[in-house]
Amino acid sequence: MSIEFRELSKSFEANKPVLRKLSFELPHGKFSGLLGPSGCGKTTLLRIVAGLDSPDMGSLRVGDETLVDVGRGIFVSPEKRNIGMVFQSYAVWPHLSVFENVAFPLRVRRLPKGQIEAEVKEALRIVRLEGLEKRLPHALSGGQQQRVSLARALVQKPRLLLLDEPLSNLDVNLRSEMRVEIRQLQQSLGLTAVIVTHDWADARALCDHVVVLNGGRIEQAGSSQELMNSPASEFVRSFAKAGL
Amino acid sequence: MTAFWADALLNSIWIVLGVTGVSLLISVPMAWLIERTDLPGARSLGRVLSLPYVVPSYLLAISWITLANPSVGWLKGLGFDIYGLGGIIFVEASALFAIVFLSFRAGLRSLDPALEEAARLGGASPLGVFFRITCPLLKNTIFASLIAVALASLASFAVPAMIGSPARVFVLTTGIFSLLKQGSLAAQSQALVIAVEMGLVALALVLVSRFFMREQASLLSGKSSRPALVRLGKLKPWLAIGAWTVWGLVAALPLVVLLLSSFMPDPGDSSFSGMSLKAWRYVLADLPGFWDAVANSLIVSSVAALLVLLVSIPVALLAWQGRYGKKRRLRALAAFFEDGALLSYSLPGTVIAVLLIFFAARFSFLGLADTLSILVVALVAKYLTLGLRTLGPGALNVHPSLIEAAQLSGAGSVQRLWRIWLPLLKPSIFAALLLVLMPCVAELTMSLLLYGPGTETLGVSVFQLQEYADRASASVVGSLLLFLVLGFQVSAGRLLGEH
């Protein structure tokens, strides 16, 4: 599913736009990265895709479905978008076991018991958490909570996987390990994925396509190689350089 | 147990269950609408919704009697009758629901929004998220606040006395009151027994609620993000009307009625042409004992508030040194004071007053009975916790580096305390003063049992005026108290806000 933004604008306070008439597209079946310093609008953009924020103007299409079109009064609520998201704080529910955390999207969809069991098991196998089904989140490490969050996002077979700074709370070793795993998952499942990050290393290791944002506008888009070799602006050059 | 007490116990139980139930039903949806949806005016509604909680509940009772007294009430044509169990539950719930509302709202604010957002993306509807994620996460907060409501409704005296007694509906507190008024020794010792039993129930409830509060895990996230607001869509105008109507009913209407009633001296006439300043002139110029009551209330509450500070400031210092000086024992000592004050706060006012009456009789050489001093003792016992609760966190805000800097500048311990620590704590000290003054100046339950000739307070005077069916004068004194209390509340809020 490609993601298509048209003239998207958003401001939380008057005269302080976070996004300024953004129009661009993220490719189907690829791993895209939204990159930029804090306050550049990348998280807001991701939350608009998820339906957790709504733009003031513009439209958003995923595949051939219009999810948001302010002009035509269209807004598909987040629970109807079938989008999986991994949050920066993981957002693993502390009152539910690992199994129940992952099973939640399937329970909401009222799938039969046997199917839920099988699919949760499969999702936990994919993120390599077999055997921890009965644990409560507080008995898990940060990396394990991250995997629960990932399994929960994948179990509903989402059309998009969104990742909001998923690696920033992990220590350095775990971070590069998770990068490899997430990348392999995305490729083997053929997912369209979008990651928000301020870390150039994430973009290089994960992304087929990188969009650098600054002050609510696009500085440059392309592969990370292109951006490094021929930066379109001083901003991109220094940003790429600082991340090396 | 006599039939009378069996009845009173049953009524008390009904009231506790009714008030907690109604509070839950009002507070939880309102807090959710205000914090989680695009309800118009949510912020202002959140600010004014708990207004009835700071108003003494007997003022709400007076207003509702003015409105819905079946024989002379302004709404008598509509067939309302406030007297009875239903009326008591309604009036008490309209004040006490704020306890649940405020703590549930605080819980919603402290919750990491991503916990709920993740459930939305998992496919759950807004209500599904609320029932499957939000409520289970905050269930201990909800239980603890419901127990606080149960305690307060068990202890309430003024509302059942004004609204229940005329309909011959007695509860434990009003039963104890009427026993004591009989004056016989047998009746008094029976009152003591029941008061002690009530006190034990109250203490048990506090212990249970502390268990829930400790169990409530911290759900704060490091990242503060705006939660995604639920779009109410087509329901928006209806829910907005509904929410503001609830506010109008529980807060705006009774307070406006109280004020209006003070300008309508004629009991039978509720038309605007009958408005005059007659009742105000009567109360301020001619009402016997009014100015004595004003003086008594101000003296008693100022002395009580100062005593509370005199205890709270050293305890706050102990807690501060215990925390930053890593002295376990000091911290334990401070916690001991805090727990003790919380327990005595949880005792119903009626119980405190009965215990004090017997104490004063047993140790009569102290000459406490029927004096202002015994009122002061009662107020300090009841409201010490308000001072501790305000100053404790305020003191912990004073970062140790500020004091260390003074030490390196050559200041001795007294100077550090006097020139740095106390001045930094000043806003908290004033706020604590106001927060203690507020309930003290309008106190009724304990004053009514403890007052003697010449030591009537404002609360007592409102109660007596209401008993003599002098509605307009009761409303005048009530309005004065209302302004006083709101003034204290607003000033305390400002002080704590700037801190």
Side-chain angles (χ1 to χ4, degrees), chain B residues 395-412:
Chain B
L396 294 183
N397 272 341
V398 177
H399 197 267
S401 66
L402 296 168
I403 307 298
E404 288 158 5
Q407 191 169 16
L408 293 175
S409 317

Side-chain angles (χ1 to χ4, degrees), chain B residues 232-467:
Chain B
L232 295 172
K234 279 182 202 141
L235 289 172
K236 194 152 127 179
W238 299 109
L239 287 169
I241 291 170
W244 282 98
T245 308
V246 169
W247 179 76
L249 205 61
V250 302
L253 180 65
L255 298 186
V256 169
V257 165
L258 183 73
L259 281 179
L260 276 180
S261 153
S262 74
F263 294 106
M264 297 189 174
D266 186 358
D269 185 2
S270 58
S271 66
F272 283 99
S273 55
M275 284 181 79
S276 79
L277 288 172
K278 208 172 108 192
W280 283 85
R281 265 199 304 267
Y282 169 69
V283 167
L284 297 179
D286 299 324
L287 179 65
F290 171 70
W291 289 106
D292 291 335
V294 172
N296 286 341
S297 275
L298 291 181
I299 291 169
V300 168
S301 41
S302 329
V303 173
L306 288 175
L307 285 175
V308 166
L309 284 186
L310 220 57
V311 179
S312 303
I313 293 174
V315 172
L317 184 61
L318 283 180
W320 186 85
Q321 284 188 319
R323 166 83 166 268
Y324 293 117
K326 308 253 185 300
K327 289 175 186 143
R328 273 242 180 105
R329 280 216 189 125
L330 293 187
R331 223 167 133 181
L333 189 60
F336 173 76
F337 272 98
E338 283 159 7
D339 290 349
L342 182 68
L343 288 180
S344 77
Y345 173 74
S346 328
L347 284 179
T350 312
V351 175
I352 295 180
V354 169
L355 293 178
L356 277 174
I357 288 172
F358 278 85
F359 178 82
R362 181 80 182 67
F363 301 97
S364 52
F365 60 90
L366 291 171
L368 271 175
D370 295 346
T371 61
L372 289 179
S373 314
I374 199 168
L375 284 176
V376 171
V377 173
L379 291 175
V380 172
K382 182 90 183 154
Y383 298 117
L384 177 60
T385 191
L386 297 181
L388 292 173
R389 240 190 281 166
T390 314
L391 282 178
L396 294 183
N397 272 341
V398 177
H399 197 267
S401 66
L402 296 168
I403 307 298
E404 288 158 5
Q407 191 169 16
L408 293 175
S409 317
S413 57
V414 176
Q415 273 194 316
R416 294 201 294 273
L417 201 64
W418 190 249
R419 298 177 63 158
I420 310 289
W421 197 79
L422 273 179
L424 283 172
L425 211 57
K426 213 158 71 184
S428 295
I429 293 175
F430 281 110
L433 193 69
L434 291 168
L435 288 176
V436 177
L437 277 176
M438 198 163 63
C440 285
V441 84
E443 210 286 326
L444 186 146
T445 310
M446 298 187 295
S447 315
L448 204 57
L449 286 168
L450 295 173
Y451 84 95
T455 65
E456 291 93 345
T457 60
L458 280 172
V460 173
S461 123
V462 174
F463 189 81
Q464 288 174 341
L465 287 169
Q466 183 68 22
E467 279 218 309

Side-chain angles (χ1 to χ4, degrees), chain A residues 47 52 79 88-89 93 109, chain B residues 112 115 117 120 122 223 228:
Chain A
R47 288 173 62 84
L52 299 172
E79 67 269 26
Q88 186 178 14
S89 58
W93 299 306
R109 288 169 174 76
Chain B
D112 179 359
L115 292 169
E117 288 167 359
R120 284 302 290 285
K223 189 184 179 190

